[in-house]
Amino acid sequence: MTTVVCVGEMVRSLRHRNEPRTLARLAGTFEGYVSSILVNGTGLGVLVTMAIKDDLPVVLLTGWCLSNIGASAVVFVVVAQSRIQRPTAWAELEFVEQHAPKYGRPPETIEEYRAQQLQEQA
């Protein structure tokens, strides 16, 4: 299941690599993809240790871990590259996310009003 989500999001991130708004709406968070790389890397280490010690055929599981690592790494690199190349667009997205009025209520502060304007421009 994880592989299907990671590969789907990898393809989506590659298609929309120049669109920070689309990248910000990927399933999962930037930190989630980093943790996926770390967890699957740890699992790969365990599988290699099992293969060395017990001579177990772990090719399928190793391939699964490697595909998860690859897909997560691609999403990580695309989002990181977008954040580095377009810091103002990402700052605007984070401002809107933090200050936009929620649950359909009207804006009460200057920041909420500005966030609502930015949201409507998108």
Side-chain angles (χ1 to χ4, degrees), residues 2 6 8 11 17 20 22 26 42 49-50 67 74-75 80 82 96-97 111 120-121:
T2 305
C6 285
V11 171
R17 65 181 161 267
T22 305
L26 291 175
T42 303
T49 303
M50 288 172 53
S67 68
V74 167
V75 173
S82 176
V96 168
E97 182 181 326
E111 289 85 12
E120 290 171 358
Q121 289 175 359

CSV table of all heavy atoms in Angstrom, one decimal, residues 2 6 8 11 17 20 22 26 42 49-50 67 74-75 80 82 96-97 111 120-121:
chain,number,residue,atom,x,y,z
A,2,THR,N,1.9,1.3,0.8
A,2,THR,CA,2.8,2.4,0.9
A,2,THR,C,3.4,2.7,-0.5
A,2,THR,O,3.6,3.8,-0.9
A,2,THR,CB,3.9,2.2,2.0
A,2,THR,OG1,3.3,1.9,3.2
A,2,THR,CG2,4.8,3.4,2.1
A,6,CYS,N,3.3,6.1,-2.5
A,6,CYS,CA,4.6,6.8,-2.8
A,6,CYS,C,4.8,7.0,-4.3
A,6,CYS,O,5.2,8.0,-4.8
A,6,CYS,CB,5.8,6.1,-2.2
A,6,CYS,SG,5.9,6.3,-0.4
A,8,GLY,N,2.5,7.0,-6.7
A,8,GLY,CA,1.6,7.9,-7.2
A,8,GLY,C,1.9,9.4,-7.0
A,8,GLY,O,1.8,10.2,-7.8
A,11,VAL,N,5.0,10.5,-9.1
A,11,VAL,CA,4.6,10.9,-10.5
A,11,VAL,C,3.9,12.2,-10.5
A,11,VAL,O,4.2,13.1,-11.3
A,11,VAL,CB,3.7,9.8,-11.1
A,11,VAL,CG1,3.1,10.3,-12.4
A,11,VAL,CG2,4.4,8.5,-11.3
A,17,ARG,N,6.3,19.8,-10.8
A,17,ARG,CA,7.5,20.2,-10.1
A,17,ARG,C,7.6,21.7,-10.1
A,17,ARG,O,8.3,22.3,-9.2
A,17,ARG,CB,8.7,19.5,-10.6
A,17,ARG,CG,9.1,19.8,-12.0
A,17,ARG,CD,10.4,19.1,-12.4
A,17,ARG,NE,10.5,19.0,-13.8
A,17,ARG,CZ,10.1,18.0,-14.5
A,17,ARG,NH1,9.4,17.0,-14.0
A,17,ARG,NH2,10.2,18.0,-15.8
A,20,PRO,N,4.3,25.2,-6.8
A,20,PRO,CA,4.4,25.0,-5.4
A,20,PRO,C,3.0,24.7,-4.7
A,20,PRO,O,2.9,23.9,-3.8
A,20,PRO,CB,4.9,26.3,-4.9
A,20,PRO,CG,5.7,26.8,-6.0
A,20,PRO,CD,5.0,26.4,-7.2
A,22,THR,N,0.5,22.9,-5.9
A,22,THR,CA,0.2,21.5,-6.1
A,22,THR,C,1.1,20.7,-5.2
A,22,THR,O,0.7,19.7,-4.6
A,22,THR,CB,0.4,21.1,-7.6
A,22,THR,OG1,-0.4,22.0,-8.4
A,22,THR,CG2,0.0,19.7,-7.8
A,26,LEU,N,0.4,17.6,-1.7
A,26,LEU,CA,0.7,16.1,-1.8
A,26,LEU,C,0.2,15.4,-0.6
A,26,LEU,O,0.2,15.9,0.5
A,26,LEU,CB,2.2,15.9,-2.0
A,26,LEU,CG,2.9,16.4,-3.3
A,26,LEU,CD1,4.4,16.2,-3.2
A,26,LEU,CD2,2.3,15.7,-4.5
A,42,THR,N,16.2,1.6,7.3
A,42,THR,CA,16.4,0.7,8.4
A,42,THR,C,15.9,-0.7,8.1
A,42,THR,O,16.6,-1.7,8.4
A,42,THR,CB,15.6,1.3,9.7
A,42,THR,OG1,16.1,2.6,9.9
A,42,THR,CG2,15.9,0.4,10.9
A,49,THR,N,20.9,-7.8,7.0
A,49,THR,CA,21.5,-8.6,8.1
A,49,THR,C,20.9,-10.0,8.2
A,49,THR,O,21.6,-11.0,8.4
A,49,THR,CB,21.2,-7.8,9.5
A,49,THR,OG1,21.7,-6.5,9.4
A,49,THR,CG2,21.8,-8.6,10.6
A,50,MET,N,19.5,-10.1,8.0
A,50,MET,CA,18.9,-11.4,8.0
A,50,MET,C,19.4,-12.3,6.9
A,50,MET,O,19.6,-13.5,7.0
A,50,MET,CB,17.4,-11.2,7.8
A,50,MET,CG,16.7,-10.7,9.1
A,50,MET,SD,14.9,-10.3,8.8
A,50,MET,CE,14.3,-11.8,8.1
A,67,SER,N,12.2,0.3,-3.6
A,67,SER,CA,11.2,1.1,-4.4
A,67,SER,C,10.6,2.2,-3.5
A,67,SER,O,10.4,3.3,-4.0
A,67,SER,CB,10.1,0.2,-5.0
A,67,SER,OG,9.3,-0.4,-4.0
A,74,VAL,N,12.6,10.7,-4.5
A,74,VAL,CA,12.3,11.6,-5.6
A,74,VAL,C,11.4,12.7,-5.1
A,74,VAL,O,11.6,13.9,-5.4
A,74,VAL,CB,11.7,10.8,-6.7
A,74,VAL,CG1,11.0,11.7,-7.8
A,74,VAL,CG2,12.7,9.9,-7.4
A,75,VAL,N,10.3,12.4,-4.3
A,75,VAL,CA,9.4,13.4,-3.8
A,75,VAL,C,10.2,14.4,-3.0
A,75,VAL,O,10.0,15.6,-3.0
A,75,VAL,CB,8.2,12.8,-3.1
A,75,VAL,CG1,7.4,13.9,-2.4
A,75,VAL,CG2,7.4,11.9,-4.0
A,80,ALA,N,12.1,19.7,-2.1
A,80,ALA,CA,13.2,20.5,-1.6
A,80,ALA,C,13.7,21.5,-2.6
A,80,ALA,O,14.0,22.7,-2.4
A,80,ALA,CB,14.3,19.6,-1.1
A,82,SER,N,12.0,22.7,-5.1
A,82,SER,CA,11.0,23.8,-5.3
A,82,SER,C,11.1,24.8,-4.2
A,82,SER,O,10.9,26.0,-4.4
A,82,SER,CB,9.6,23.1,-5.4
A,82,SER,OG,8.6,24.1,-5.4
A,96,VAL,N,-0.8,31.7,4.3
A,96,VAL,CA,-2.2,31.4,4.1
A,96,VAL,C,-2.6,30.2,4.9
A,96,VAL,O,-3.7,30.3,5.6
A,96,VAL,CB,-2.5,31.1,2.6
A,96,VAL,CG1,-3.9,30.6,2.4
A,96,VAL,CG2,-2.3,32.4,1.7
A,97,GLU,N,-1.8,29.2,5.0
A,97,GLU,CA,-2.2,28.0,5.8
A,97,GLU,C,-2.3,28.4,7.3
A,97,GLU,O,-3.2,27.9,8.0
A,97,GLU,CB,-1.2,26.9,5.6
A,97,GLU,CG,-1.5,25.6,6.3
A,97,GLU,CD,-0.4,24.6,6.1
A,97,GLU,OE1,0.2,24.5,5.0
A,97,GLU,OE2,-0.1,23.8,7.1
A,111,GLU,N,-4.2,39.9,9.4
A,111,GLU,CA,-3.5,38.7,8.8
A,111,GLU,C,-4.5,37.8,8.2
A,111,GLU,O,-4.3,37.2,7.1
A,111,GLU,CB,-2.7,37.9,9.9
A,111,GLU,CG,-1.5,38.6,10.3
A,111,GLU,CD,-1.8,39.7,11.4
A,111,GLU,OE1,-2.9,39.6,12.0
A,111,GLU,OE2,-0.9,40.5,11.7
A,120,GLU,N,-8.0,33.7,-2.3
A,120,GLU,CA,-8.9,33.9,-3.4
A,120,GLU,C,-8.2,34.2,-4.7
A,120,GLU,O,-8.7,33.9,-5.8
A,120,GLU,CB,-9.8,35.1,-3.1
A,120,GLU,CG,-10.8,34.7,-2.0
A,120,GLU,CD,-11.6,36.0,-1.5
A,120,GLU,OE1,-11.3,37.1,-2.0
A,120,GLU,OE2,-12.4,35.8,-0.6
A,121,GLN,N,-7.0,34.7,-4.7
A,121,GLN,CA,-6.2,35.0,-5.9
A,121,GLN,C,-5.7,33.7,-6.5
A,121,GLN,O,-5.4,33.6,-7.7
A,121,GLN,CB,-5.0,35.8,-5.6
A,121,GLN,CG,-5.3,37.3,-5.2
A,121,GLN,CD,-4.1,38.1,-4.8
A,121,GLN,OE1,-3.0,37.5,-4.7
A,121,GLN,NE2,-4.3,39.3,-4.5
